Amino acid sequence: MALLQISEPGQSLDPHQRRVAVGIDLGTTHSLVAAVRHGVAECLPAGDGRVILPSVVRYLDPALGGSGRQIGFDALAAQVQDPANTVSSVKRLMGRSRDQVVDVDKLAYTVVEQDGMAVVETVAGRKTPMEVSAEILATLRFRAEDSFDDELYGAVITVPAYFDDAQRQATKDAAQLAGINVLRLINEPTAAAIAYGLDNGSEGVYAIYDLGGGTFDISILRLTRGVFEVMATGGDSALGGDDYDQALAAWVLAQQGVNALLNASERAAVHAEARRLKEALSSSGSETFRASVAGQTFEQSVTPSDFEACTAALTARTMTAVRKVLRDAGITKDEVKGVVMVGGSTRMPVVRRTVGEFFGQEPLTNLNPDEVVALGAAIQANALAGNSKDGDLLLLDVIPLSLGIETMGGLVERIVPRNSSIPTALAQDFTTYQDGQTALALHVVQGERDLVADCRSLARFELRGIPPMVAGAARIRVTFTVDADGLLSVSAKEQGSGVEARVDVKPAYGLSDEQIAAMLQDSFATAQQDMQARALVEARVDADRMIAATRTALAADADLLEADERLNIDTLIESLSQSLGSTEAATIEAATTALAKGTEAFAAMRMNRGIQKALAGKKLEEV
Ligand code: ADP
Ligand code: MG
């Protein structure tokens, strides 16, 4: 099914009014900015033609004057000489306290705790991870504004699928510091899937294998009706291209019989050479490693199979994580419809081959693996800014928790199920409970539980002016409409008279991801209990209805009954009333059934009387 399309009111697609909207991949190692130009997503280059910006910021001693910092390649080049003030991999600190940062002591700069937050100690003072990220984001923002010679309208920024609320909030704060309007944060694997246009393709399960510089992420996404749901994520936050460099360097040094400890600059030089060689080997037959250690210069030739042999354990570790995430998602590898390769390290032929053999299919590699996340974000940004042409489908969010209405007895009737894509509009018909009921109290709730008391109350409103009718005759259509921003409005309309009432509510926004997770957890744990509670409430409502209907009938037509028949019915009503105190739905249901059976004959007599009344005084041909 195609998703509903959004075009913002009054935002027609006059090329002169086009809004500059970009996608930003704020990576651990590299960051990129991309935009849709002439209908095609492309990464925007810096003045020197390079699209990649190393995610590195170097802070300079303020006493020396000058601009105060270097960003990107300049900072990267200075890292060897000034490691203590050169902040790389700052993404690992985002939204974390110091003790939450993996291997924090291995970082070449000093991380301290401040207000529950990991911050970096530099020669220019303490810098929060948001400030450091903001330098990178601002650089990309200026690059985009220079490319388009226009102000930036907004950006879609990508985050790892496993990022929690604090990490996402930190990313948003960084963007705000950089003066960027965040159109949306989207998950990196989802962005990669969008870049490949999978959202326009066939529904099913996709695996996104992302091997970057310092991290490995594997995500299983399920595409339904144009929306991706993250089924499971996994990986290894301390496994990436850097480890391949190290493994190669160690192998070369061992071949050369070097076992002396290297000093910092030798180590940096060997590492840089290893990286150069690794990258070159991805597209060539054999390479020569050149370095000097302790005044001795050496050369070592390395073939692709040497490289594969000395890094085999690393590739194997990624596959262990792949198998685990498939188990977590509860699927087999044969159920995976497509595999998307993301991250610079998936350029290594051995990685592509291993992944391809495991899944039994060629992984998708025709887009640049280090650009694919930014490209997907750009496509999404373009659509959110209202730039995409009519007919373009827009990938949207899903509703995190079900939305529903309170019905008789404090039960929830779910109208919009959880994970429905938005925008959406869904309706259900309800009716009145009492004869002559002229108003209806509507209570809108959110949650997965069956009882209103266990869900979150969103809004209450009333529908008044329903014409008096017998119970059950009114047709009240309740419509839930959720717009693209997740704004919910609920309307209730009595179909016969047309009376209508509505209310606007904002769902989900007040809930943190943890609260959502807790509510879902709750609903799984208590599903059984809920079913029993629901059955009990339903049994009581049915019993009440049965008793009320029988009393009404007796009031009207009791004269049809013999004394013993009347006594029998009264006894059945009495025992049903007593059963209402039971906590067993089955007991109440049995008593309700008994009353229904015991009044069958009475009901038949009443029907006959009704027909006779209707026919009285009419000629046969009039009937
Ligand atoms: P991140 O997402 O962590 O910012 P990237 O996706 O940019 O990282 O990947 C960076 C890694 O990709 C580095 O380890 C780099 O050496 C590696 N890489 C880049 N090009 C190649 C190549 N041609 N062959 C092998 N590895 C490569
Ligand atoms: Mg990345």
Side-chain angles (χ1 to χ4, degrees), residues 27-30 211-215 241-242 275 278-279 282 343-345 347-348 370:
T28 311
T29 319
H30 296 130
L211 189 58
T215 55
D242 296 346
R275 179 166 173 172
K278 170 193 76 174
E279 294 180 3
S282 289
S345 298
R347 284 222 168 82
M348 290 185 280
D370 35 26

Side-chain angles (χ1 to χ4, degrees), residues 25 27 188 210:
D25 173 5
E188 287 163 10
D210 180 351

Side-chain angles (χ1 to χ4, degrees), residues 76-402:
L76 185 64
Q79 193 163 29
V80 179
Q81 134 207 6
D82 188 18
N85 298 304
T86 308
V87 188
S88 57
S89 301
V90 70
K91 190 170 178 178
R92 295 173 46 197
L93 311 186
M94 293 285 274
R96 307 275 81 174
S97 62
R98 188 180 188 280
D99 58 346
Q100 283 177 312
V101 178
V102 184
D103 285 340
V104 68
D105 294 317
K106 287 195 191 154
L107 293 169
Y109 47 86
T110 308
V111 177
V112 297
E113 178 92 357
Q114 180 183 297
D115 307 328
M117 194 169 39
V119 299
V120 184
E121 195 90 73
T122 76
V123 67
R126 290 186 173 176
K127 300 291 171 190
T128 65
M130 289 82 94
E131 287 174 275
V132 181
S133 299
E135 298 286 0
I136 298 160
L137 288 169
T139 306
L140 297 174
R141 173 189 155 197
F142 297 141
R143 183 189 292 185
E145 293 185 338
D146 288 349
S147 303
F148 288 99
D149 197 15
D150 196 358
E151 250 182 56
L152 186 63
Y153 166 70
V156 166
I157 302 178
T158 58
V159 289
Y162 60 77
F163 253 29
D164 67 17
D165 222 40
Q167 292 168 301
R168 286 169 198 259
Q169 192 54 53
T171 307
K172 276 189 164 177
D173 292 346
Q176 199 187 349
L177 286 175
I180 294 174
N181 166 31
V182 180
L183 299 171
R184 197 165 288 187
L185 296 181
I186 65 171
N187 291 327
E188 287 163 10
T190 306
I194 296 171
Y196 274 102
L198 298 182
D199 48 323
N200 299 321
S202 52
E203 300 198 338
V205 175
Y206 294 90
I208 318 295
Y209 179 106
D210 180 351
L211 189 58
T215 55
F216 171 59
D217 299 318
I218 172 79
S219 311
I220 307 295
L221 304 183
R222 188 206 302 277
L223 175 70
T224 5
R225 290 184 292 146
V227 177
F228 290 102
E229 173 205 351
V230 180
M231 295 175 75
T233 65
D236 191 331
S237 56
L239 174 60
D242 296 346
D243 299 284
Y244 284 78
D245 306 345
Q246 246 134 33
L248 175 59
W251 180 81
V252 169
L253 293 177
Q255 290 301 109
Q256 291 292 323
V258 178
N259 43 30
L261 276 181
L262 309 189
N263 65 34
S265 72
E266 285 170 346
R267 200 166 31 197
V270 166
H271 194 184
E273 176 67 355
R275 179 166 173 172
R276 184 193 68 78
L277 215 76
K278 170 193 76 174
E279 294 180 3
L281 280 171
S282 289
S283 52
S284 85
S286 167
E287 289 290 323
T288 306
F289 194 110
R290 291 187 185 83
S292 32
V293 171
Q296 290 282 90
T297 302
F298 66 82
E299 288 192 357
Q300 167 78 44
S301 98
V302 184
T303 64
S305 56
D306 293 332
F307 176 71
E308 287 175 21
C310 72
T311 58
L314 300 171
T315 309
R317 262 168 72 193
T318 70
M319 298 318 292
T320 306
V322 169
R323 280 188 284 270
K324 178 172 184 310
V325 82
L326 288 172
R327 273 200 306 279
D328 288 349
I331 55 160
T332 64
K333 59 184 177 183
D334 308 321
E335 290 172 67
V336 173
K337 221 176 188 143
V339 184
V340 177
M341 298 297 258
V342 184
S345 298
T346 62
R347 284 222 168 82
M348 290 185 280
V350 60
V351 169
R352 294 182 175 186
R353 205 174 57 238
T354 309
V355 171
E357 280 165 7
F358 175 80
F359 283 102
Q361 60 179 302
E362 275 299 306
L364 294 166
T365 54
N366 47 311
L367 293 176
N368 258 338
D370 35 26
E371 294 183 1
V372 55
V373 167
L375 295 175
I379 294 169
Q380 183 74 339
N382 191 54
L384 285 171
N387 290 335
S388 51
K389 292 186 297 293
D390 276 352
D392 271 4
L393 290 181
L394 184 48
L395 180 104
L396 292 164
D397 277 343
V398 296
I399 290 179
L401 292 169
S402 303

